[in-house]
Structure formats: C-alpha cells, structure tokens
C-alpha cells in the first residue's frame, strides 16, 4: 500500500499545520481533505482536521509521526465549509485550527469514537415519522408575499434586508420561503439563526407544527454534548432540512445549504465575544455569497451596517409596514417625565394607574428594566462609603433575596455588611433599583396580582426560563418584570402594556453604539404589546419613564419611525468617521498593572509603519479593572477594509514575536469600544 502524508490543523494558537504519515490501516479508507483524524501531538492524542494530502513531505522521516486513526465513519467536512473556516480565520486573524476545531461538537473530538458511533446508529434508526397535524399557513399579505417571492425565487446570491415592524409577520415569511424552497428541492437545507437561546423553543414548535415530516435540528449552547453531536451530525449528513440555532450554528457543516435566515439581525448577541470573535451575521452573508444563495436579514431595527447596504443597493430592502394580525395595532408610546413627576418606588402615578387598569381588564403588563439584582449600589449616607468591588472598577450589586453583594463582572460574592465598614453606621441604604426591588414594590402595591420576574438570576436552573415564558403565554402571570431577556421576539398574546423604567444611562454612554442599541431595545420591547386583535377600544400602550423626554431618540421612537432615526444616525457617523463609514480593529491588552498593558500597546503601535490606517493612542478600557486585571486598548481604523486587512496580516505576525507577559487579543469589527 502507498504511504501518504497529510497536513493537519489542530486546535493550538500556533499558526501552522503539522505533517503526519499515514500508513494505511485495517479499513480501506484513504485520507481525504476535510476528514478528521486522531494524531499524536506532543504527549497527547488529539483530533485534527486534514487540510492537505500529498505523496511527499519536507519533514525528515525521523521526526514524522503517524496518524493514529481516521474518522472515516462520517463524510469529510465539505470544501465550502473549509473555505468558510479559512475565510473566518483570515478575516478575524486566528489560526485555522482555532477556528475549525472548536466549532465541532466536543464528542466528535474525543479520542475514542464511541459517542460518534452511537450517535450515528441512533440517527440511522430515527426516520422522520410523518405526522398528520400540520398547522395551516395563513394567507400572506401582499408585502409578505413579495418578500417570500424575492427569497424563494432568488437566482444566486441575494441578500434581502427584511425590514418589518414588530408583529409584521417576518417569521411567517421565513417559514413560507422555506416551504417553497423545500418543495422545489426536497434535499435542501435551511439555516435559521435567532439571537436568544430562549427563542428557539417557540420557533422550533412553530416549525415542527408547520413541517411535521421535515427533520429539524437545533444547535445552541444549551444542548447536552450528546444531543449536540446528534444534531450536528444530522446537519452534516444532510438529513436535517431545517437547522435552527444561535450564532454558533453559522459554523455548522451544511452540505445542502440553500437559504440562510438571520432573525433580529441587529442583535448584539450575534457577535461572539471570546475566542474567535466573529459576527455570525457577517459570516452568514459571506456564506450565502460563497454558495450563491439567498440570505434574509430580518429586523424591525436593522443594524446601521445593513441599513447602509440597503441604501446603497447592495442589499435588497423589503418593508413590512403593517402588523400581520388583523386589527392588531402598534402601541401608542407615551413619555413620562420622571424628573417632574413624583415617583413612588420608582414609578409615576400614570404608570401605576395603567398597571391597575390592565389588572382590572385581565390583560397582561410587562415592566422592562435592564438591571438585575435589588439595587446597583449599597451606600452609607454618613460617610459616603459605597459597595465598590475590591477587584474591579465597578460596584457590587445588592442581591437582597440571597443576602449577598455580588459583582456582575468578576462574580465575587460577599455577605451584606451589617454596618458601614468605614464608619460603623448601621443604616446602609440601597441606591437605585434593579428588577428584584421593582418586584418587591409591585408585590406591595398590587397584592392580588400574579407577578413574575424573568432575568438571569431567576432563570439559572436549566429549563426554568422556558417554564417562566410558558407561564406568561398561558396567562398565569399578570405583571411580568424583566431585563432584555423578555424584550426579544416573544409573541405574547394578551399583553397590552409595556412600562420602561429607566433607559436614561444609555442616552449618554461613552459607547457610540449605545443609542442605536437603546432604540432597538425599546422598539423591541414596545413590540411585545398589542400583538393580537384589539378588544373594544383597549389600545395597547408603552409608557417610558425618562428624565429626558425631549431627547430626539424618543421622538423617532414615538413615531415608530426607524428610517428617520437611522438616517440621522448615519449622518452623524459619517461626519465622525465611525462605522459603517470606517473599519476598525481593536487590540486589547491585559496585565496586573495598567502601565504594563499601556506600554505593550505603545510598543505594538510602533511595530509597523501605518499604511492606509490610523493607529490611535492606547487608552485604558472604560471598565479598567476586572478581577484584578487591568485592561487597555488600541484602536486601529481605516476607511478601506482591504487596507485594514492588509495591515493586520502584517501586524499579527509582528505582534506574535513580541516577548511580553501581557495577554493580548485582536478583535476585528469590535462591537464595543
Ligand atoms: P414578527 O416576527 O415580525 O414580529 P411574527 O412573525 O411573530 O412577527 O407574527 C406576528 C403574529 O402575526 C403571529 O401571531 C403570526 O402568527 C401572525 N401572522 C403572521 N402573518 C400572518 C398573516 N399573513 N395573516 C394572519 N396572521 C399572521
Ligand atoms: Zn459610613
Ligand atoms: Zn468584581
């Protein structure tokens, strides 16, 4: 038998491939590009990805090691998938091995192929069992029909920006476009991305009801590893026709991919914030372009990047301007001046009255406050002591029900002090309010009401978030209080009041994206109200308590006019040379002492002559210290994406040669700066 040599990418920070010898084995399978193989690496045995197969190698025979086993049980990862990983590695400046391997299920990367073989067996046994209860598709309105036609009849790469107000039936467009594509080509695969893991069950149920005989796979971080392997395999083998997932699903192997949908495409959670810092939305568009297929970006408040592409004609924009359900109307938005009106427990009389009215009518209300815990700070009036985290430049948040102070940045916990640590005053005061405190006040004001809080604290247990949302859908809750977890996507039927408690900090943030995000968030949460046909003349409403009712953001919000807001914001961005009018990369450094981090960045800034890019001064990050580590950043910008990419391609190898104990990371297209 012929001896062959394979080049293998493994999951290491080294940007190189390793050569191995393959001597053949019991099985007749030959090594192929895209196949996984078990190989020795130092003293370990790891799964690597074959990126080349050849008849010769430059590595001297005495240093060459042998492939231990090929994972020939599954077909090799297809070439377009490899190309996607190569692109992501190149664009986001990471070694291929650190891109391609971590996005495979853990159980696929185990030394023994037991889990793999078991999963394959299980998949072979589960044939789709045809069911008879298909939910009937509603008749599309003309705007929806136009969108479905544009998607399903697309010829080649077709990016569609589906700009539809909340409740305009975007989901229905995705489903009917999928149905049409699957009718034309029954083997096709459709990838649907959603921003929140909590939104998958609702959509999955909708998909299964609409397509009872179509195999559906789900991919998100909440799956157990064996489940994840099985779902990933059914996508990789082409069995699953519909794959529903969160951002990580964009890197799934989908050999028959024919359509990608990115729902709520503006959502910040599409950006991965560690390891490979990719934008799932951007990779989705790249993937669609590579395969020559349609990609739908759906949102009521598109990202400015996508909006700009639609303005320049790169993306086709389709608008859904009406709510899909007959007689369902957008809620009226009212601003309540929290500076002028007296507040009781943080609430205006108008908001209290509106809540009371909903209770009398048997309708549901939602209070939105993007701050969990009881109060963001505990303080001493006598001496000015505040509950600073000893390890971060942040406050420790008061969690009264657990009787703890907790830092939301480093997770440090401590008992609530009985008296002021500085002056001994025993009358410590909570400052400001979080969801727990609002829940407490609601309970005291509305003793008959069924009140439920949904935030990261109340939903720590697996399955508890789902149970909580089910309770709301089933009408077991009168007043729901929650963070952004409750703002997105949910189709609450009986909800007619949304109260927004304190959006003001985001109005004046150092982050230039804060107002874009706030607008999207408020539009989203407002969109939870009035989703079913209006009863009598009970108009649904959104009450926003703010000290700045004159802020222009609220005027656009009241008019439900994203276009006006986006146009103004794009003008500002253009004048200030901010994205999408410039392209950015952020070098971040972490060290025990801030000067070390800054010094490293200073050195990094001088490594290369900047060509076509601007290198800004190193600065401490807004949240400078987290868990006793100091953080600083260096922003590199360019009006030209290729110029920035060319610079990064030279800069990265130079950075890797710098001898330093500072930990650093590169982020291309950073989301927060
Ligand atoms: P979006 O995703 O745009 O917020 P959804 O897709 O959740 O909106 O649709 C909102 C509601 O409208 C859902 O209850 C959905 O079943 C309903 N709906 C969608 N399209 C139609 C239609 N053409 N006719 C009647 N009801 C529809
Ligand atoms: Zn004190
Ligand atoms: Zn901390």
């Amino acid at each position: 038998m012929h001896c062959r040599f394979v080049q293998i990418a493994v999951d290491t920070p080294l940007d190189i491939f390793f050569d191995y010898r393959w001597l053949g084995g019991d099985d007749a399978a030959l090594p192929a590009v895209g196949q996984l193989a078990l190989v020795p690496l130092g003293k370990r045995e790891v799964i690597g990805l074959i990126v080349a197969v050849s008849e010769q190698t430059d590595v001297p025979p005495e240093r060459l090691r042998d492939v231990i086993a090929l994972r020939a049980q599954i077909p090799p990862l297809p070439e377009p998938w490899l190309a996607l990983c190569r692109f992501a590695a190149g664009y986001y400046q990471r070694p291929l091995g650190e891109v391609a391997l971590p996005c495979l299920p853990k159980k696929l990367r185990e030394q023994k192929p037991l889990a793999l073989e078991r999963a394959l067996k299980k998949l072979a046994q589960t044939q789709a069992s045809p069911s008879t209860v298909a939910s009937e598709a509603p008749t599309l309105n003309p705007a929806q029909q136009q969108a479905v036609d544009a998607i399903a009849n697309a010829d080649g790469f077709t990016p569609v920006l589906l700009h539809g107000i909340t409740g305009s039936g975007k989901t229905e467009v995705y489903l009917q476009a999928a149905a049409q594509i699957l009718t034309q080509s029954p083997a096709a695969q459709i990838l649907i991305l959603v921003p929140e893991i909590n939104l998958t069950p609702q959509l999955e149920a909708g998909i299964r009801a609409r397509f009872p005989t179509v195999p559906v796979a789900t991919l998100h971080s909440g799956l157990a590893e064996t489940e994840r392997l099985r779902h990933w395999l059914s996508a990789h083998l082409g069995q699953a026709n519909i794959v529903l997932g969160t951002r990580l699903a964009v890197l799934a192997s989908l050999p028959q991919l024919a359509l990608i949908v990115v729902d709520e495409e503006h959502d910040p959670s599409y950006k991965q914030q560690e390891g490979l810092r990719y934008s799932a939305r951007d990779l989705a568009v790249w993937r669609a372009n590579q395969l020559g297929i349609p990609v739908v970006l759906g949102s009521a408040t598109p990202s400015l990047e996508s909006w700009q592409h639609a303005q320049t004609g790169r993306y086709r924009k389709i608008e859904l301007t009406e709510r899909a359900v007959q007689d369902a109307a957008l809620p009226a938005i009212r601003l309540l001046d929290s500076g002028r009106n007296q507040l009781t427990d943080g609430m205006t009389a108008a908001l209290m009255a509106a809540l009371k009215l909903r209770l009398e009518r048997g309708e549901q209300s939602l209070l939105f406050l993007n701050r969990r815990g009881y109060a963001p700070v505990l303080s001493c009036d006598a001496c000015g002591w505040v509950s600073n985290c000893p390890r971060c430049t942040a406050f420790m948040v008061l969690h009264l029900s657990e009787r703890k102070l907790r830092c939301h940045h480093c997770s440090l916990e401590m008992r609530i002090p009985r008296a002021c640590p500085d002056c001994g005053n025993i009358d410590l005061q909570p400052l400001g309010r979080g969801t727990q405190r609002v829940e407490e006040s609601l309970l005291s004001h509305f003793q008959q009401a069924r009140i439920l809080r949904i935030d990261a604290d109340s939903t720590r247990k697996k399955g508890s978030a789902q149970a909580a949302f089910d309770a709301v859908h089933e009408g077991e809750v009168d007043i729901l209080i929650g963070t952004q977890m409750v703002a997105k996507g949910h189709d609450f039927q009986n909800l007619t009041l949304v109260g927004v408690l304190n959006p003001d900090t985001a109005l004046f943030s150092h982050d230039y994206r804060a107002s874009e995000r706030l607008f999207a968030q408020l539009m989203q949460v407002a969109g939870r109200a009035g989703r079913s046909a209006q009863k009598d003349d009970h108009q649904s409403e959104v009450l926003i308590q703010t000290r700045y009712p004159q802020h222009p953001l609220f005027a656009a919000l009241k008019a439900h006019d994203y276009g006006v807001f986006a146009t103004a914001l794009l003008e500002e961005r253009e004048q200030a040379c901010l994205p999408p009018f410039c392209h950015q990369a952020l070098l971040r450094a972490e060290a025990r002492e801030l000067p070390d981090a800054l010094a490293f960045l200073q050195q990094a800034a001088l490594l290369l002559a900047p060509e076509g890019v601007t290198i800004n001064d190193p600065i401490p990050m807004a949240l400078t210290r987290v868990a006793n580590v100091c953080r600083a950043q260096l922003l590199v910008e360019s009006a030209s994406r290729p110029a920035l990419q060319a610079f990064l391609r030279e800069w990265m190898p130079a950075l890797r040669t710098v001898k330093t104990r500072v930990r650093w990371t590169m982020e291309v297209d950073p989301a927060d700066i």
Side-chain angles (χ1 to χ4, degrees):
M1 185 171 297
H2 236 56
C3 161
R4 274 165 217 258
F5 303 98
V6 294
Q7 238 177 22
I8 290 200
V10 293
D11 182 9
T12 71
L14 294 174
D15 200 359
I16 49 170
F17 301 131
F18 296 89
D19 282 24
Y20 290 89
R21 182 174 47 208
W22 181 81
L23 289 168
D26 301 338
D27 47 10
L30 287 173
V33 169
Q35 208 167 38
L36 300 174
L38 186 67
V39 293
L41 184 74
K43 291 198 176 100
R44 294 180 302 149
E45 290 180 357
V46 299
I47 287 287
L49 172 72
I50 300 178
V51 294
V53 180
S54 71
E55 308 273 315
Q56 63 235 350
T57 172
D58 301 333
V59 180
E62 67 276 13
R63 286 189 40 212
L64 206 59
R65 301 174 77 180
D66 291 332
V67 171
I68 300 165
L70 297 176
R71 285 286 179 266
Q73 296 92 331
I74 53 168
L77 286 140
E79 175 49 38
W81 182 85
L82 289 170
L84 171 71
C85 291
R86 267 185 237 116
F87 167 76
Y91 187 80
Y92 295 111
Q93 310 295 327
R94 304 279 291 196
L96 179 63
E98 275 194 327
V99 174
L101 289 150
C103 73
L104 301 174
K106 267 209 189 79
K107 292 260 170 201
L108 192 58
R109 290 179 280 144
E110 284 177 349
Q111 283 184 12
K112 297 214 169 71
L114 278 176
L116 172 61
E117 277 154 10
R118 220 176 284 146
L120 285 170
K121 213 157 147 196
K122 197 150 184 197
L123 276 177
Q125 285 163 356
T126 49
Q127 293 300 325
S129 52
S131 140
T132 42
V133 280
S135 75
E136 211 171 307
T139 312
L140 297 176
N141 60 40
Q144 285 176 312
Q145 188 61 53
Q146 190 203 358
V148 169
D149 291 342
I151 299 159
N153 304 331
D155 185 16
F157 172 54
T158 311
V160 173
L161 179 63
L162 184 61
H163 176 221
I165 61 165
T166 53
S168 58
K170 296 185 285 296
T171 314
E172 199 51 50
V173 170
Y174 310 150
L175 294 185
Q176 298 214 20
Q180 214 162 309
I181 288 174
L182 287 174
T183 309
Q184 288 155 12
S185 19
Q189 291 185 300
I190 290 152
L191 173 64
I192 303 178
L193 300 178
V194 292
E196 266 267 349
I197 195 168
N198 296 313
L199 290 172
T200 51
Q202 183 183 328
L203 187 52
E204 189 183 348
I207 292 172
R208 288 196 193 274
R210 188 65 61 79
F211 304 98
T213 58
V214 170
V216 178
T218 51
L219 287 171
H220 54 71
S221 58
L223 292 183
E225 287 299 335
T226 36
E227 279 178 291
R228 176 149 179 238
L229 175 62
R230 197 151 36 83
H231 286 262
W232 185 91
L233 280 173
S234 81
H236 174 59
L237 299 174
Q239 289 183 0
N241 293 109
I242 300 181
V243 176
L244 171 64
T246 51
R247 65 169 176 259
L248 57 87
V250 80
L251 290 164
S253 163
L254 295 155
Q256 304 290 337
L257 188 56
L259 167 67
I260 310 180
V261 172
V262 185
D263 191 25
E264 311 293 0
E265 66 93 28
H266 64 279
D267 199 284
S269 72
Y270 282 120
K271 187 77 204 283
Q272 165 81 15
Q273 299 289 13
E274 56 194 37
L276 178 75
R277 291 159 187 257
Y278 62 93
S279 151
R281 185 218 27 235
D282 294 352
L283 288 184
V285 174
W286 190 88
R287 222 175 159 172
N289 189 4
Q290 168 205 36
L291 296 173
I293 59 170
V295 56
V296 184
L297 308 179
S299 177
T301 52
S303 64
L304 286 186
E305 281 77 5
S306 301
W307 189 257
Q308 173 71 357
H309 284 320
Q311 299 306 90
T312 60
R314 266 196 65 190
Y315 294 175
R316 167 147 185 215
K317 183 164 77 180
I318 297 179
E319 307 257 10
L320 306 179
T321 54
E322 307 278 330
R323 283 210 152 163
V325 172
Q326 265 223 322
D327 296 327
L330 281 174
I333 296 179
R334 266 199 320 162
L335 299 168
L336 304 175
D337 191 331
S338 52
R340 290 182 180 206
N341 288 296
Q342 211 194 333
L343 302 183
T344 315
D345 290 331
M347 284 178 277
T348 52
L351 179 58
M352 294 278 222
L355 284 168
K356 187 155 167 281
L357 183 65
R358 294 322 182 285
L359 284 171
E360 285 162 8
R361 287 182 183 165
E363 297 169 356
Q364 293 176 309
S365 306
L366 162 64
L367 287 190
F368 172 65
L369 174 62
N370 218 355
R371 188 181 268 164
R372 63 196 170 86
Y374 186 85
V377 196
L378 186 66
S379 77
C380 168
D381 283 349
C383 77
W385 174 87
V386 284
S387 56
N388 283 313
C389 174
R391 316 199 304 160
C392 308
T393 34
F395 295 123
M396 307 239 356
V397 176
L398 178 61
H399 284 256
L400 205 55
S401 50
E402 298 110 302
R403 312 219 54 79
K404 290 216 166 83
L405 292 175
R406 182 185 295 149
C407 174
H408 288 183
H409 300 285
C410 73
S411 307
L412 181 70
E413 289 188 342
M414 51 177 78
R415 282 219 309 273
I416 300 170
R418 270 169 219 275
C420 172
D422 284 358
C423 75
N425 171 16
I426 53 164
D427 191 19
L428 294 177
Q429 294 297 330
L431 278 188
R433 67 198 69 237
T435 46
Q436 287 180 14
R437 193 170 186 183
V438 174
E439 181 188 18
E440 184 191 81
S441 332
L442 288 172
L443 283 166
S444 73
H445 288 286
F446 302 104
Q447 282 155 14
Q448 309 303 321
R450 296 163 301 169
I451 294 165
L452 180 71
R453 168 168 62 89
I454 300 187
D455 58 24
D457 297 314
S458 78
T459 54
R460 258 175 233 288
K461 273 213 310 259
K462 197 179 161 156
S464 58
Q466 189 49 38
F469 284 115
D470 287 348
V472 183
H473 284 295
E474 271 150 38
E476 291 159 15
V477 174
D478 299 314
I479 305 178
L480 174 63
I481 152 100
T483 54
Q484 42 98 19
M485 267 182 85
V486 301
K488 299 178 191 176
H490 294 279
D491 196 17
F492 301 129
Q493 290 297 314
N494 191 29
L495 202 137
T496 60
L497 173 69
V498 169
V500 176
L501 286 183
N502 184 6
D504 290 348
T505 40
L507 288 176
F508 305 101
S509 165
H510 60 90
D511 183 345
Y512 72 89
R513 279 200 179 84
S515 59
E516 179 186 353
R517 288 211 183 118
L518 177 63
F519 189 88
Q521 217 167 43
L522 293 180
M523 200 87 142
Q524 280 275 312
V525 72
R528 297 315 103 211
R531 295 177 71 88
S532 54
Q534 202 169 306
K535 278 186 250 131
D536 310 326
D537 54 351
H538 298 179
Q539 212 206 350
S540 57
E541 47 178 4
V542 177
L543 304 182
I544 301 177
Q545 291 192 173
T546 171
R547 297 179 79 90
Y548 307 95
Q550 306 306 327
H551 197 287
L553 183 144
F554 292 127
L557 193 74
K558 274 185 80 150
H560 297 278
D561 197 337
Y562 176 74
V564 165
F565 176 73
T567 306
L569 217 52
L570 276 173
E571 254 166 45
E572 270 176 48
R573 296 272 181 92
E574 187 162 21
Q575 270 160 21
C577 276
L578 286 167
F581 299 96
C582 89
H583 305 278
Q584 303 179 322
L586 197 62
L587 179 62
R588 290 207 175 90
E590 296 186 351
R592 286 271 154 199
E593 306 295 334
L594 185 61
D596 293 341
L598 289 167
F600 167 78
L601 294 177
Q602 195 61 56
Q603 186 185 358
L606 299 172
L607 284 176
L608 290 187
E611 267 179 58
V613 302
T614 307
I615 303 180
N616 291 281
D617 289 332
I619 51 167
M621 282 174 64
L623 184 60
T624 309
R625 193 163 47 96
V626 172
N628 284 330
V629 174
C630 293
R631 309 158 350 136
Q633 64 185 36
L634 175 67
L635 183 67
V636 180
E637 301 172 283
S638 177
S640 146
R641 201 191 288 275
L644 179 63
Q645 282 285 322
F647 177 76
L648 294 176
R649 270 196 298 278
E650 270 191 75
W651 201 26
M652 285 298 285
L655 283 167
R656 290 199 182 98
T657 64
V658 175
K659 291 240 176 331
T660 178
R661 289 172 61 184
V662 169
R663 283 192 47 200
W664 58 269
T665 51
M666 180 70 75
E667 183 167 0
V668 179
D669 303 333
D672 309 284
I673 62 167

